């Protein structure tokens, strides 16, 4: 009932020309795919060129971050309406690299989530624990707190319109993936928290992705889990062949 979502997070990789070339290769490789929605998230500078390449295809465009204000004297920032105007449907918010390197707190993420929804963008809200938190058994406490504050004040309908991504920090870019069962357990916990907040029906609509070293050969096992509705992919989304293989292997039959 939930259409799987496979999102490529290109982080700070690819020039404009490389990003456009990637899409030219990806389009024919996945044009017959109907069992998953595909999103690519290039850097800000490549959004327009990628949007142009994506015109007429089913692949959607997403950004990796944004600021919450509509406009103003915020040097270096990009607004929700700028993302909308360039053709974005999605925006990744609260990625652990933003939290770790750029000081983003749950409160900052919350303001951004609200601004994204108000602008008609679908936020992909990232949560996840660090290694020491997993090892000390506090995964659910950490993820629960991130959820509570990142999504504070959202109405049930707004919650239903978000995408969540569980990304254990220790699995990002490390080649270490959470086991499918472990990821399922946390995704299920996220859904139960959403249900407590917004009701079962709204929670059932939310796509909850898994992210962290997802590869063509482990995506099917993850997607077989009932509460894993897609993947947020970093490293393996940078090569057309690997990303296309992942999209095919990630379709729910
Ligand atoms: P990875 O990154 O696939 O390279 O682990 C995932 C992410 O950061 O979203």
């Amino acid at each position: 009932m939930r259409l799987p979502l496979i999102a490529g997070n290109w982080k700070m990789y690819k020039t404009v020309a490389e990003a456009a070339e990637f899409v030219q290769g990806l389009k024919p490789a996945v044009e017959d795919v109907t069992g998953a929605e595909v999103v690519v998230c290039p850097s800000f500078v490549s959004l327009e060129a990628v949007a142009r390449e994506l015109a007429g295809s089913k692949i959607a465009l997403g950004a990796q971050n944004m600021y919450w204000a509509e406009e103003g004297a915020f040097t270096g920032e990009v607004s929700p309406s700028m993302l909308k105007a360039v053709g974005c449907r999605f925006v990744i918010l609260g990625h652990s690299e933003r939290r770790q390197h750029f000081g983003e707190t749950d409160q900052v993420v919350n303001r951004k989530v609200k601004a994204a929804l108000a602008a008609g963008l679908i936020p992909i809200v990232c949560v996840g624990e660090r290694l020491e938190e997993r090892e000390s058994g506090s995964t659910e406490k950490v993820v629960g707190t991130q959820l509570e504050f990142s999504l504070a004040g959202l109405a049930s309908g707004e919650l239903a319109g978000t995408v969540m991504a569980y990304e254990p920090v220790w699995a990002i870019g490390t080649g270490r993936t959470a086991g499918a069962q472990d990821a399922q357990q946390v995704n299920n916990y996220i859904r139960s928290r959403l249900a407590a907040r917004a009701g079962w029906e709204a929670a059932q609509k939310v796509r909850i992705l898994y992210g962290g070293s997802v590869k063509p050969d482990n995506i099917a096992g993850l997607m077989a889990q009932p509460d894993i509705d897609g993947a947020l992919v970093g490293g393996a989304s940078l090569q057309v062949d690997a990303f296309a293989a992942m999209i095919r292997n990630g379709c729910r039959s």
Side-chain angles (χ1 to χ4, degrees), residues 7-11 13 92 95-97 126 165-176 210-215 231-238 246:
N9 171 14
W10 293 351
K11 308 191 179 185
Y13 293 99
I92 300 170
H95 190 281
S96 66
E97 286 151 16
C126 304
Y166 167 54
E167 296 208 303
V169 178
W170 48 270
I172 295 176
T174 58
R176 241 184 109 175
Y210 167 79
S213 298
V214 182
K215 304 277 183 276
L232 182 53
V233 187
S237 74
L238 294 170
M246 213 151 7

Side-chain angles (χ1 to χ4, degrees), residues 146-204:
Q146 288 173 334
L147 279 178
E148 184 181 337
F149 291 104
S150 302
L151 304 177
L154 297 191
S156 298
E158 290 178 316
L159 275 177
T162 65
V163 173
M164 299 300 307
Y166 167 54
E167 296 208 303
V169 178
W170 48 270
I172 295 176
T174 58
R176 241 184 109 175
T177 329
Q181 310 276 324
D182 288 341
Q184 159 61 22
Q185 204 177 338
V186 181
N187 277 33
N188 179 264
Y189 172 72
I190 292 172
R191 198 176 306 285
S192 71
R193 290 290 302 241
L194 294 175
R197 270 278 309 275
W200 189 83
E201 213 174 299
Q204 286 302 313

Side-chain angles (χ1 to χ4, degrees), residues 69-75 77 79 82:
E70 251 326 289
E71 60 181 12
F74 302 105
T75 301
E77 295 296 325
S79 77
M82 289 173 186

